[in-house]
Amino acid sequence: MATESHRGGTSLSRLFGAGVGVVFLVFNLWSFRQNYLLKNSGTTTQGTVVSTNMMRRKGGIAYNVEYGFDVAGQHYEGTGQTTSSAFLKLRPGGAIAIRYVSSSPSISETSDMSHNNVSLFLIGLLGIPISLFILGVNLRGERLPAQYSQKQVLNPVIDTAPIELPNGISGIAYTMYPVSDMKRARKFYEQELGLKVAQDYGGKWVEYYLWDNCFAIATITGDDLKSTAKAGGSIAFEVNDVDAFVSQLRKKGIQIKLEPFSTPVCRMAVIVDTEGNALTLHHRHKA
């Protein structure tokens, strides 16, 4: 009985596996049909952006857009992905190129991400065959080869332990541009570029949050940093402990331009790289 159970598995497990295979097969057949129709009978029209959003994934960021368009007096809506460059230009109510199926306008996608040939190839070569394989294995109750059936155990120390960097750089805290006229600069960034204010510290330091980064404009930089087309702005690296990091750099002979100091929201210091550029070290206080 034990041998038979190992060879075929339990009835419930095989039934579940077969169900997964059916779901994958139906999904891949449906996707193949949609992409085939878009490739062979797709038509391009102008739609209207409803909303945009981003989703962080393991492989990067997905730039999503919801849109609407009209065909023969009927209104249709859809969602799709777009490129990062196109995403930055999209605004709710603005125009966007849409590709749709003439016989079934509910099947649509954004024109700049039309990838029907690639999708057809991947679904036809991988998606459908893999779905059939999963379905067949579970219906026949076949035993997978030992090298695939053995449970893979990760070494909890080597494979999963996080890399410890107690005082290392963990990201970019902000990028700052000096301005000489805050009112004029804010009009440019907010009205012309469409940025939304996230924080305003007394009209002297204004922050705009762009996804997971912060862009700031400031009038409190002093004579060392002036607004100019030749110099640009400055960057601040986020660290876990400004004082400890500065102490480490000092021992290595790194020039410290401005010793650690505190503001109501953060602690900072300024160092100088080998080329003479000033770099800010930053740690935001926890709320």
Side-chain angles (χ1 to χ4, degrees):
M1 292 297 291
T3 303
E4 182 63 28
S5 176
H6 178 70
R7 287 176 57 84
T10 64
S11 299
L12 287 177
S13 64
R14 281 186 291 162
L15 187 62
F16 175 78
V20 171
V22 170
V23 171
F24 281 176
L25 181 61
V26 171
F27 174 78
N28 281 290
L29 289 173
W30 175 77
S31 298
F32 187 88
R33 173 180 176 272
Q34 281 198 315
N35 284 280
Y36 180 84
L37 291 174
L38 284 167
K39 179 179 184 295
N40 291 278
S41 60
T43 302
T44 301
T45 186
Q46 180 173 298
T48 302
V49 177
V50 176
S51 65
T52 59
N53 65 84
M54 295 181 302
M55 182 179 297
R56 186 175 296 278
R57 296 177 175 176
K58 186 176 182 180
I61 298 177
Y63 301 93
N64 304 314
V65 56
E66 296 184 10
Y67 55 82
F69 61 98
D70 298 315
V71 176
Q74 296 291 325
H75 183 73
Y76 298 89
E77 294 184 349
T79 60
Q81 293 186 2
T82 185
T83 60
S84 59
S85 58
F87 182 86
L88 294 175
K89 300 176 183 178
L90 297 178
R91 295 290 185 273
I96 183 173
I98 301 299
R99 186 175 175 84
Y100 70 96
V101 177
S102 303
S103 59
S104 182
S106 60
I107 301 176
S108 62
E109 65 181 355
T110 58
S111 291
D112 65 329
M113 285 291 281
S114 180
H115 51 281
N116 304 306
N117 288 328
V118 176
S119 296
L120 286 172
F121 175 78
L122 292 176
I123 296 172
L125 185 65
L126 298 176
I128 294 177
I130 290 176
S131 300
L132 290 172
F133 173 77
I134 295 173
L135 184 60
V137 166
N138 285 278
L139 288 178
R140 292 197 303 269
E142 293 181 352
R143 183 177 65 178
L144 293 175
Q147 63 266 33
Y148 296 108
S149 61
Q150 292 176 354
K151 184 177 180 180
Q152 300 296 318
V153 180
L154 294 177
N155 185 311
V157 176
I158 297 177
D159 296 328
T160 62
I163 298 175
E164 294 293 340
L165 295 174
N167 298 313
I169 295 173
S170 59
I172 296 177
Y174 63 81
T175 302
M176 185 274 294
Y177 267 43
V179 299
S180 56
D181 187 319
M182 181 60 77
K183 183 178 180 180
R184 181 179 61 195
R186 288 190 58 173
K187 181 179 179 182
F188 171 78
Y189 285 107
E190 296 168 26
Q191 296 184 21
E192 304 301 333
L193 299 188
L195 301 185
K196 303 298 183 182
V197 175
Q199 299 286 345
D200 181 355
Y201 298 99
K204 295 182 178 180
W205 180 285
V206 178
E207 295 182 349
Y208 306 92
Y209 292 167
L210 303 174
W211 300 288
D212 57 349
N213 292 305
C214 173
F215 169 71
I217 54 177
T219 59
I220 57 175
T221 56
D223 295 332
D224 289 341
L225 190 59
K226 293 292 186 179
S227 53
T228 169
K230 295 182 180 179
S234 64
I235 193 169
F237 291 123
E238 187 73 16
V239 298
N240 294 330
D241 188 324
V242 173
D243 296 84
F245 203 10
V246 167
S247 178
Q248 293 176 9
L249 296 178
R250 195 192 312 276
K251 295 177 182 178
K252 296 178 181 180
I254 304 300
Q255 180 182 347
I256 312 300
K257 183 177 181 179
L258 191 60
E259 294 291 338
F261 65 97
S262 294
T263 75
V265 296
C266 64
R267 187 158 178 80
M268 295 189 291
V270 180
I271 64 173
V272 180
D273 70 5
T274 57
E275 314 310 310
N277 298 306
L279 302 174
T280 299
L281 303 177
H282 176 279
H283 178 75
R284 186 177 297 275
H285 297 324
K286 293 183 179 179

